[in-house]
Amino acid sequence: MLNVALPKGRLGEKVYGMFARAGFECPAVLENSRKLIFDNEAAGVRYFWVKPSDVAIYVERGAADVGVAGKDILLEYRPEVYELLDLNVGKCRMAVAGPADFQDREDRTLRVATKFSRIARDYYAGKGRDIDIIHLNGSIEIAPILGLSDVIVDIVETGTTLKENNLAVLETIIPISARLIANKSGFKFKTGPIQRLTEELRKEVDRA
Ligand code: PRP
């Protein structure tokens, strides 16, 4: 049985479609129920719906053999997993945003609000810029509006949230997309099915 952790939500449903077309079908997954675990013994697969930011934890600890996690989570938490494939969905970017007319004053420590403290720290360390991280858990966009921070480091997908809060992208840090990841020892014991899944998913990515 291949245990697969899928990120709950719209992205997860799209990704399940790719897995199904790749030969790992389990139609019950898309049933509208509160169930979180689904088996298809014939196809040799078991799916779990988990919170997107938790997928890497299930995979790192071996509760799932494979899973789908955003590159943002992989960069932020650096789980000990194999990153097997860029699925080319869930595309967005990690960016610095703030008021469109923001001018950075190098003589002051830059106050950065973010859910992605490590990504922000690494990015500014690379530029040799001193920053003060304000770690928040969501609704990051309001931090510069209320004067809690100068800028934010956050995910931008359509740009609507920034626009509706009178903010703009100031710098792009890195493009983000969903990745197929695998548990390291699971990969050793289930090399065949995991490689088959990866190759079939690669075809799906190429076809898209
Ligand atoms: C994410 C991100 C931005 C928004 C970007 O938030 O933190 O707020 O989506 O998308 P857009 O560019 O298409 O507007 P999420 O919905 O995950 O909520 P939270 O970070 O506020 O918890």
Side-chain angles (χ1 to χ4, degrees):
M1 224 28 164
L2 200 59
N3 292 303
V4 183
L6 288 179
K8 227 174 172 174
R10 218 156 22 98
L11 173 65
E13 286 171 19
K14 195 167 184 177
V15 165
Y16 165 72
M18 295 174 80
F19 277 65
R21 289 191 295 276
F24 292 80
E25 247 199 306
C26 183
V29 164
L30 295 180
E31 270 171 18
N32 228 348
S33 77
R34 306 289 287 177
K35 251 180 88 164
L36 297 171
I37 304 182
F38 302 89
D39 288 355
N40 180 351
E41 281 187 34
V45 69
R46 172 184 296 136
Y47 289 101
F48 328 128
W49 286 122
V50 309
K51 206 173 146 81
S53 52
D54 289 342
V55 168
I57 300 173
Y58 284 81
V59 175
E60 182 176 39
R61 292 181 172 262
D65 301 306
V66 298
V68 173
K71 185 68 181 174
D72 51 331
I73 300 296
L74 302 179
L75 289 170
E76 182 62 23
Y77 300 103
R78 309 259 173 91
E80 280 292 324
V81 296
Y82 291 131
E83 187 181 319
L84 299 176
L85 184 66
D86 183 348
L87 294 171
N88 217 17
V89 291
K91 285 166 85 165
C92 52
R93 56 184 161 148
M94 188 64 66
V96 179
D101 60 355
F102 176 73
Q103 297 277 343
D104 191 5
R105 285 191 41 189
E106 300 273 337
D107 57 329
R108 284 197 198 161
T109 300
L110 183 70
R111 296 170 308 153
V112 182
T114 189
K115 264 198 287 205
F116 300 95
S117 296
R118 184 182 217 160
I119 293 175
R121 203 172 291 120
D122 289 353
Y123 176 66
Y124 283 104
K127 298 179 21 138
R129 180 72 174 100
D130 252 354
I131 61 165
D132 179 13
I133 300 257
I134 300 155
H135 189 92
L136 298 176
N137 297 300
S139 301
I140 317 294
E141 290 82 1
I142 63 174
I145 299 171
L146 299 180
L148 178 64
S149 74
D150 300 306
V151 295
I152 64 173
V153 164
D154 201 10
I155 282 172
V156 180
E157 192 181 348
T158 60
T160 310
T161 312
L162 291 181
K163 209 166 153 200
E164 292 194 356
N165 290 288
N166 298 317
L167 300 173
V169 169
L170 303 174
E171 295 158 61
T172 291
I173 299 178
I174 193 166
I176 302 290
S177 55
R179 309 297 163 102
L180 176 69
I181 58 174
N183 174 268
K184 290 192 167 176
S185 54
F187 187 77
K188 237 178 265 159
F189 294 113
K190 300 184 185 177
T191 313
I194 294 177
Q195 276 182 341
R196 185 163 63 85
L197 169 69
T198 309
E199 285 324 305
E200 291 305 316
L201 285 173
R202 195 189 307 279
K203 288 182 202 161
E204 283 301 314
V205 172
D206 292 344
R207 255 198 291 271

